Amino acid sequence: MMRRRIPLLVALVLLALGALLASLAEGPTSVKPRVEPEFPRWPRPEEMQRARERRTLPPIPAPAAAGDAEPPRPRDPFLVALPRDPSRGLVVLEANAIRHSRLGELFVECAIRKGNGRNPFEEMREELGIDPLKDLDRVAFSEDGIVLSGFFDRARLDRFREDARETRRGSQGRIFTPLRPSPDEEGLVLGLWRDQLLVFGTAPFVEASLDRMEAPEPEAPAVIPEDLAYGEAYGVVPGRALRGLFDGLQWELGHRIAEAASRIELHADAMRDLALVANVSGADAATVDDLGKALGVALAVARVQALSGERDELAELLEHARVVRGGDGGFSIEVALPAELVEKWFEGCGKDRGP
């Protein structure tokens, strides 16, 4: 079950984009002009400061070199632990930041209301010793496993030791292998590093994540380097990840993007409005640029249809949806969901139907 869920989790960040593109041919209504949302196009000062504070892992010693080469800097353990295969999807959620956003508040309120008097977060704290609302910092979803950073010194490891074999991995890593795994858990293990990182997935995935903590030599380039780790959600996915998000009249366009886009870089701001930027690039710059033009035309047609349609929510999406073409052959898709629209999604939570 875990293997099937991970690719779906990777695709969640793309759902807002897919929902928009799949319905461009439908006629929305116009809405009143709104204040421009804050699109995450580059790191904010507070995010740059946060990145500096997260560099707690010693740097990899640089080889002797002549001149005034910049000395290697300390590293962020969480980013170091992430997989290095650029052909596979990797998405990070800043769980702690999202928790303190309007979206996070709505989600927590919804989860508690749907619990019918039971607080699921309190139950998790009592069962596992981890408070997801306080102890969890970041979560990374890949196609082979999950990496979590936070404060896990109070985790109930005794629960794992009862049914798992514990082995050391490096000087500060531990791996828990289930002794009697269920069919859905076959081949999956749990890794822990310094009470700061939890890694769950296939054994090779977990082992490689822990080994990178003590890599003596410079490693393969990071899929998500520090300068791209901004926004409340960010990541990189291959173009094929978009294939299943297009249907109807937009299937052909989605298929062309999936074939031409070798890399889609994602950044989402969720502190108030939900604003998403998807930077699309590929090996054939001319083909990608042509796709950007086609998508821009599709959005322009949808805006014309919005003047006489009757779908207010889709009109709100189109109000801040656009294609921005770059000078290098790539393009960016920007989509914003107003906070008021997000709040409407949660209005029925806890009643007969969820949001």
Side-chain angles (χ1 to χ4, degrees), residues 61-237:
D68 299 326
E70 181 179 353
R73 66 187 185 189
R75 300 166 293 159
D76 180 343
F78 177 80
L79 296 180
V80 170
L82 300 184
R84 292 292 191 266
D85 188 348
S87 68
R88 300 175 75 79
L90 180 62
V91 173
V92 174
L93 300 182
E94 291 279 350
N96 186 57
I98 294 176
R99 163 66 184 94
H100 295 92
S101 69
R102 181 56 181 150
L103 177 62
E105 293 174 353
L106 290 169
F107 173 77
V108 172
E109 293 170 2
C110 176
I112 293 176
R113 288 201 302 268
K114 293 183 73 172
N116 296 322
R118 296 166 47 249
N119 187 326
F121 306 105
E122 182 65 21
E123 291 182 352
M124 184 177 295
R125 187 189 66 80
E126 295 177 354
E127 179 71 18
L128 301 178
I130 299 174
D131 186 340
L133 302 182
K134 297 179 180 179
D135 298 335
L136 191 58
D137 184 34
R138 288 170 284 180
V139 183
F141 301 102
S142 82
E143 297 180 45
D144 297 304
I146 300 175
V147 181
L148 304 95
S149 70
F151 306 95
F152 307 128
D153 52 308
R154 294 185 297 274
R156 298 288 303 276
L157 295 181
D158 54 304
R159 301 292 179 90
F160 298 105
R161 293 189 178 98
E162 292 175 359
D163 300 308
R165 181 179 71 256
E166 180 180 354
T167 57
R168 287 281 180 179
R169 191 75 181 186
S171 62
Q172 301 181 81
R174 285 174 283 176
I175 292 179
F176 300 88
T177 305
L179 297 176
R180 294 173 294 276
S182 66
D184 290 337
E185 296 175 341
E186 189 69 37
L188 301 179
V189 302
L190 175 72
L192 176 68
W193 183 81
R194 273 193 189 177
D195 296 332
Q196 297 177 21
L197 296 178
L198 282 174
V199 188
F200 181 72
T202 62
F205 174 85
V206 174
E207 292 168 357
S209 297
L210 298 182
D211 290 346
R212 276 190 287 272
M213 297 294 106
E214 303 181 30
E217 300 294 336
E219 52 200 22
V223 175
I224 303 179
E226 186 180 287
D227 60 346
L228 294 184
Y230 62 89
E232 280 67 62
Y234 45 86
V236 174
V237 297

